[in-house]
Amino acid sequence: MNRLTKVCIVITVCLLLNFSSTNQCYSETTKPKKYLKKEYRSLKGNIIVRHYGESLDDNSADIWLYSAKNPSKKLLLYSYERDADVLISPNEKWLVINYRYGSDVTDAILFKKAKGLKYDEKKYLNTLAWRLFRKMHKQYEIPEFGHNYTEAVLWSSDSKSVMVEIYGHDDLSPKALEPWFCIYDVTTGKMSLDFNRVFNRDTYHPDGEAKGRELYLN
């Protein structure tokens, strides 16, 4: 057996081991951890989301999806450290995990329904949202914030768009971005300020400001 053949065999075995490990961790036969940390339902009511951890004080947990009609049907969606929550679209075809994996960063991870309770990871929304913000505010000298956060906050009623919130600050600087909103279209894969996709009006901000134009603070 020559050296090239041996290398190919080793690579194949490693790939098979990784594949087997992944299936074992994310299968219907895997059992939830002991403690139920939090529970909530999708808007439509067909999916129950449960977070299980090793203890009530442990920040890490697994996110499980259950069928409301048949609770014996369950699937492990995601494992996380620190904190996370799930925002499921009204038609239950999409979901976003707001993953707060560090004190200085949060990301919104988009998933698409594959079959039954299985959802496939599709996209991280952090980069897209911050890229649009910088494009819309070229007049500012915008720093790379030491703390930057991206979270999905609301789905449109037709489940085609989700509103995303970003904000950030630095520890040693007065510069900060208070909540700024944008819209991600799951059909086009693009981020925009088309708030009509979620609301029946042109702009949205809790304080009534137009599209967050005044939110950047020098």
Side-chain angles (χ1 to χ4, degrees), residues 42-55:
S42 63
L43 181 64
K44 202 172 183 179
N46 294 323
I47 299 174
I48 302 172
V49 183
R50 290 175 178 158
H51 297 235
Y52 288 96
E54 293 292 353
S55 70

Side-chain angles (χ1 to χ4, degrees), residues 147-162:
H147 298 254
N148 66 86
Y149 309 96
T150 303
E151 297 199 20
V153 294
L154 182 67
W155 279 98
S156 60
S157 58
D158 63 5
S159 300
K160 293 181 179 179
S161 303
V162 61

Side-chain angles (χ1 to χ4, degrees), residues 16-68:
L16 289 173
L17 287 173
N18 286 335
F19 179 76
S20 175
S21 174
T22 301
N23 282 347
Q24 185 177 5
C25 291
Y26 293 87
S27 71
E28 294 184 11
T29 59
T30 304
K31 293 183 179 180
K33 294 177 181 178
K34 186 175 181 180
Y35 292 93
L36 177 61
K37 299 169 71 68
K38 51 185 174 180
E39 175 182 315
Y40 40 93
R41 289 194 179 212
S42 63
L43 181 64
K44 202 172 183 179
N46 294 323
I47 299 174
I48 302 172
V49 183
R50 290 175 178 158
H51 297 235
Y52 288 96
E54 293 292 353
S55 70
L56 292 177
D57 298 327
D58 185 10
N59 287 331
S60 63
D62 296 333
I63 301 175
W64 286 79
L65 301 182
Y66 284 76
S67 167

Side-chain angles (χ1 to χ4, degrees), residues 63 77-81 83-89 94-101 105-113 119-128 150-153 155 162 164 184 186 191:
I63 301 175
L77 172 67
Y78 204 77
S79 299
Y80 65 84
E81 299 289 336
D83 189 35
D85 58 50
V86 181
L87 193 66
I88 303 176
S89 66
W94 301 86
L95 64 81
V96 176
I97 295 178
N98 290 321
Y99 186 11
R100 307 173 188 93
Y101 54 90
V105 63
T106 297
D107 210 332
I109 311 170
L110 180 71
F111 288 73
K112 184 178 182 180
K113 188 182 186 73
Y119 285 78
D120 294 331
E121 183 178 305
K122 291 297 180 182
K123 189 161 298 195
Y124 283 71
L125 302 182
N126 183 299
T127 300
L128 292 175
T150 303
E151 297 199 20
V153 294
W155 279 98
V162 61
V164 177
Y184 180 76
V186 298
M191 200 74 73

Side-chain angles (χ1 to χ4, degrees), residues 167-181:
Y167 55 100
H169 68 273
D170 282 324
D171 287 329
L172 303 177
S173 168
K175 293 186 176 182
L177 173 68
E178 298 194 12
W180 186 87
F181 299 89

